């Protein structure tokens, strides 16, 4: 399956592995065809379970799925982390771990998945960045919370983040497709006036937003300059690449992709 999925082109240590799935490789029927990994979107539970088995067998690690709520909570995956049941996955929008064999896993279908690792390869993280989680409150969103917890887990101070953390951003809704209201722009600009450059005006007072661009700004403000993957170009847009990516904005009823990162023993 790996040849059909996205594998980050980034200078991660050899013991760090990461990928983002595509629609290819599963058993789900339309409109969830084919590798839908979301158990909350109306797909047949047996199909989702089979698709998650495909993922686990392909990566050789245990993906830990979350109950994502477009918030900023971060969970630390420990060695004793229980296998989440379908009904009760952990409620969080980011996960971090130092434990080999546990895959921090984020589901998306337009929101932005952001994967992190240290240059030493001793810790990994994954964050789910839709616009609500990204903007957060008072300038603190899911990326800021993830890096704060990640830094503590990896025993880094703020100055060490710039040289010791690398990030990869996966596919998301692109800047030609993500139309938002003025309140979304206002929320980002209130936190950082530089965010205005990530919005292009539309008729009727609405705006086109560059979600990946906004995430790059947030990461840069945290000192992270080693950022790879999504550059806001058309090949990364979930809406514009229907044969490859799920998109809730495009289809309304849609499956979910998964972005995973894990450490090998």
């Amino acid at each position: 399956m790996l040849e059909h999925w996205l594998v980050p082109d980034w200078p991660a240590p050899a013991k760090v592995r990461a990928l983002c799935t595509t629609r290819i490789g599963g058993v789900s029927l339309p409109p969830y065809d084919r590798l839908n990994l979301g158990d909350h979107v109306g797909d047949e539970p047996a199909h989702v379970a089979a698709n998650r088995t495909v993922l686990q067998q392909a990566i050789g690690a245990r993906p830990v799925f979350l109950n994502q709520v477009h918030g900023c909570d971060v969970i630390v995956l420990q060695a004793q982390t229980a296998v989440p049941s379908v009904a009760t996955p952990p409620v969080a929008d980011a996960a971090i771990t130092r434990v080999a064999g546990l895959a921090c896993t984020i589901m998306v279908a337009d929101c932005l998945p952001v994967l992190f690792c240290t240059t030493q390869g001793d810790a990994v993280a994954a964050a789910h960045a839709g616009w609500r989680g990204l903007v957060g409150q008072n300038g603190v969103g899911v990326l800021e919370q993830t890096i704060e917890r990640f830094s503590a887990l990896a025993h880094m101070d703020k100055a060490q983040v710039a040289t010791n953390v690398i990030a990869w951003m996966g596919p998301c809704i692109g800047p030609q497709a993500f139309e938002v209201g003025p309140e979304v722009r206002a929320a980002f600009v209130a936190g950082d006036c530089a965010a205005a450059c990530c919005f292009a005006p539309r008729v009727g007072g609405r705006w086109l937003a560059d979600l990946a661009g906004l995430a790059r700004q947030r990461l840069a403000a945290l000192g992270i300059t080693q950022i790879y993957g999504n550059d806001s170009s058309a090949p990364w847009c979930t809406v514009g690449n229907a044969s490859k990516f799920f998109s809730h904005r495009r289809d309304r009823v849609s499956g979910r992709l998964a972005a995973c990162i894990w450490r090998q023993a």
Side-chain angles (χ1 to χ4, degrees), residues 58-141:
I59 69 177
R62 178 158 62 82
V64 178
F65 291 89
L66 308 176
N67 178 6
Q68 300 167 191
V69 294
H70 297 275
C72 301
D73 287 344
V74 183
I75 185 172
V76 180
L77 306 184
Q78 305 285 8
Q80 68 270 25
T81 299
V83 178
S85 71
V86 171
T88 58
V91 178
D93 280 88
I96 61 178
T97 193
R98 297 178 65 114
V99 179
L102 289 183
C104 299
T105 303
I106 295 298
M107 289 184 292
V108 292
D110 286 331
C111 292
L112 176 71
V114 186
L115 306 181
F116 301 94
C117 74
T118 62
T119 53
Q120 297 80 21
D122 55 347
V124 297
H128 165 240
W131 80 261
R132 290 179 179 82
L134 188 60
V135 74
Q137 293 184 349
N138 301 317
V140 178

Side-chain angles (χ1 to χ4, degrees), residues 10-31:
W10 64 338
K15 61 185 174 183
V16 172
R17 306 297 299 275
L19 60 78
C20 181
T21 63
T22 65
R23 301 182 73 138
I24 300 170
V27 300
S28 292
L29 302 176

Side-chain angles (χ1 to χ4, degrees), residues 150-177:
F150 191 54
S151 300
L153 185 72
H155 307 295
M156 294 183 292
D157 59 32
K158 187 174 181 179
Q160 293 173 310
V161 169
T163 55
N164 291 335
V165 176
I166 62 175
W168 182 83
M169 303 195 307
C172 72
I173 187 170
Q176 299 305 312

